[in-house]
Amino acid sequence: MAKIISGKQIAEKIIETELVPRVEILKKSGIVPKLVVVLVGEHPASASYVKQKEKFAEKAGIHSEIRRFSDEISEAEILGEIAKINADPKIHGVIVQLPVPEKISVPKILRAIDPRKDVDGFTPENIGKLFLGEPCLECCTPKGIIRMIEESGEVLEGKKVVVVGRSNIVGKPVAALALNRNATVTICHSRTKNLNDEIKTADILIVAVGRPNFVHGDQIKSGCVVIDVGIHRTDDGKLCGDVDFESAEKVAAKISPVPGGVGPMTVVSLIGNTVEAAEN
Ligand code: NDP
């Protein structure tokens, strides 16, 4: 049976042993890191993600503020809000909770955020630096994934890493971070031929396809490390990932669960980025 990589436990450890002490130091010089979350419209999933972010912020001792706007708000008004936030020296980090209404251009919104306050790590400047291997505010889910792999005792150097999914917020950046750590990386997507053959080669398999229970135990190599990024609510109200946990845990050496895996690592990375932005 695979060892469980508990993102929840690792995230709690990071808050207690790293973030709280760093926040204390900032507070001594009169700085309290502050995160602003811009929330447009009503989305039950977004509401629960935002609540989690508030909870983690409180545990780390930083300020968080939710700025709520109705679906009616225009793109120009949102851009105006971001400009105000960019100019406010008391705010160190800002994120726009996605999704936003279709009439609002996500690339336009992201480009409006000051890269120094871009704690989601989504602006072209931070993404570009991440690919160059330069210091930056790294996108939260990929940063959290790499951290949980390393915390589980795995070394990425020389390993065969297979990433299933090539989104701009998970697949591509996590592949770049693994490559920066000298892993040999394959990125798979919907046009990949013989996906099963690729998956079978993985020492470390990162699955971010957005399809419930997509990868099963019989597809993975014995002793593989499996990171499940997906999150889905099933018809009976339970949460599941992109990996069929029951079959995969019998074959893998280590596996991250859903819930309690990548989710908390994403949030702790966001809070860590806010602290880093305040330090900068
Ligand atoms: P996207 O939908 O943006 O990307 C999915 C990727 O999977 C695409 O690259 C797509 O390929 C690929 N894909 C889809 N179907 C197949 C297939 N049959 N075979 C091979 N590849 C396929 O998803 P995200 O990256 O945004 O998210 C992935 C999952 O992770 C979702 O469940 C999401 O909810 C979850 N998530 C969880 C987070 C957390 O903190 N826990 C954070 C972010 C996401 P193509 O490019 O060719 O279309």
Side-chain angles (χ1 to χ4, degrees):
M1 278 300 204
K3 184 181 157 220
I4 307 297
I5 307 175
S6 170
K8 188 168 176 276
Q9 281 176 13
I10 298 168
E12 275 165 11
K13 188 187 90 174
I14 292 173
I15 290 181
E16 279 167 30
T17 63
E18 296 174 24
L19 299 185
V20 167
R22 282 165 63 190
V23 170
E24 287 303 319
I25 291 171
L26 283 165
K27 283 182 177 168
K28 278 187 189 135
S29 50
I31 298 165
V32 185
K34 180 171 176 179
L35 168 69
V36 170
V37 179
V38 174
L39 187 59
V40 185
E42 305 272 341
H43 291 275
S46 294
S48 98
Y49 293 145
V50 166
K51 214 176 255 170
Q52 233 194 343
K53 288 167 188 173
E54 279 183 298
K55 205 173 93 188
F56 273 58
E58 199 184 316
K59 279 189 188 170
I62 75 168
H63 288 325
S64 67
E65 182 191 329
I66 318 298
R67 296 201 180 168
R68 293 171 203 275
F69 302 96
S70 90
D71 277 335
E72 304 301 313
I73 193 167
S74 69
E75 186 179 275
E77 284 169 314
I78 285 284
L79 291 171
E81 287 299 327
I82 291 173
K84 270 193 250 164
I85 292 167
N86 284 342
D88 185 338
K90 288 211 160 63
I91 300 171
H92 306 95
V94 56
I95 67 164
V96 177
Q97 184 67 45
L98 301 178
V100 289
E102 263 179 30
K103 63 179 178 190
I104 296 172
S105 155
V106 173
K108 231 181 189 172
I109 295 291
L110 295 181
R111 279 172 172 75
I113 295 173
D114 183 336
R116 293 168 301 180
K117 297 191 180 187
D118 166 33
V119 286
D120 252 341
F122 287 170
T123 57
E125 175 155 341
N126 280 315
I127 293 267
K129 285 183 174 170
L130 180 146
F131 272 80
L132 293 171
E134 290 179 13
C136 63
L137 293 169
E138 293 177 348
C139 11
C140 300
T141 302
K143 179 179 181 169
I145 292 170
I146 296 294
R147 181 73 195 261
M148 74 195 293
I149 293 170
E150 292 178 338
E151 287 285 331
S152 83
E154 293 295 318
V155 175
L156 281 147
E157 178 154 341
K159 294 281 162 59
K160 179 73 200 285
V161 172
V162 175
V163 182
V164 190
R166 57 170 164 180
S167 70
N168 290 336
I169 62 166
V170 187
K172 282 184 210 164
V174 81
L177 289 179
L179 187 61
N180 291 348
R181 283 165 174 75
N182 300 317
T184 302
V185 184
T186 301
I187 308 177
C188 302
H189 46 78
S190 67
R191 317 284 171 88
T192 297
K193 293 209 170 103
N194 305 321
L195 178 65
N196 280 345
D197 292 347
E198 300 293 346
I199 290 176
K200 233 359 180 236
T201 64
D203 301 318
I204 298 173
L205 177 68
I206 300 169
V207 189
V209 281
R211 290 168 183 250
N213 301 321
F214 181 76
V215 172
H216 286 251
D218 58 4
Q219 289 167 273
I220 63 179
K221 185 168 79 177
S222 172
C224 172
V225 174
V226 179
I227 303 295
D228 188 352
V229 187
I231 183 147
H232 312 275
R233 197 167 286 282
T234 57
D235 292 340
D236 57 5
K238 290 193 181 135
L239 292 176
C240 79
D242 287 350
V243 176
D244 178 56
F245 186 86
E246 212 180 299
S247 61
E249 77 164 337
K250 296 191 177 101
V251 187
K254 297 176 188 173
I255 187 167
S256 71
V258 179
V262 174
M265 292 304 297
T266 297
V267 185
V268 81
S269 300
L270 175 73
I271 304 304
N273 279 352
T274 307
V275 175
E276 190 176 324
E279 288 165 345
N280 291 344

